[in-house]
Amino acid sequence: MLVKIFALLIFLSSLCAGLSPAARAEPARKVPDSTTSGGGYKFVGNAFSGKFHKPGCEFAAKMDASRVVFFKTREEAEKAGQKPCNWCLPGWLKNVRGQVVSPGKGR
């Protein structure tokens, strides 16, 4: 019984070896980090989904490398028709304003 299972595994592995590279599942290639590539880009766009991300975004890391588009500015990405990622560039983030307040005399 064990010999039959082993023979079946060898047969199946020989079938998989004959598949073309496109038919074999390959892990997604990681988007290069802006600090290591020297490109000076600040945003990574996806040509398929039409969304752009910060280079460190977890969704940018899962992106297929053949669909990556680089942008130096947010305006450049939006001009190209890309929309910001809801995870790393949420819409509410650009509307947040802060104000530095010094403590009063009584504190």
Side-chain angles (χ1 to χ4, degrees):
M1 178 70 174
L2 189 59
V3 174
K4 287 182 181 181
I5 293 173
F6 187 66
L8 181 63
L9 287 174
I10 292 173
F11 175 71
L12 290 175
S13 65
S14 67
L15 286 178
C16 291
L19 292 176
S20 68
R24 277 187 239 135
E26 292 183 17
R29 292 172 275 173
K30 189 172 186 227
V31 175
D33 185 21
S34 63
T35 57
T36 59
S37 68
Y41 65 89
K42 294 190 179 186
F43 299 100
V44 180
N46 187 326
F48 181 74
S49 70
K51 294 203 174 192
F52 66 96
H53 311 262
K54 290 180 180 178
C57 178
E58 64 181 274
F59 294 105
K62 295 176 184 177
M63 194 182 313
D64 184 25
S66 65
R67 297 178 174 168
V68 173
V69 184
F70 299 109
F71 300 104
K72 293 188 181 213
T73 64
R74 184 183 182 114
E75 292 77 25
E76 182 182 350
E78 289 173 345
K79 266 188 188 174
Q82 299 269 324
K83 300 206 181 294
C85 169
N86 291 328
W87 183 257
C88 64
L89 298 164
W92 58 265
L93 187 62
K94 64 183 178 183
N95 295 326
V96 174
R97 298 178 194 263
Q99 182 179 3
V100 178
V101 180
S102 61
K105 292 181 182 180
R107 294 183 184 193

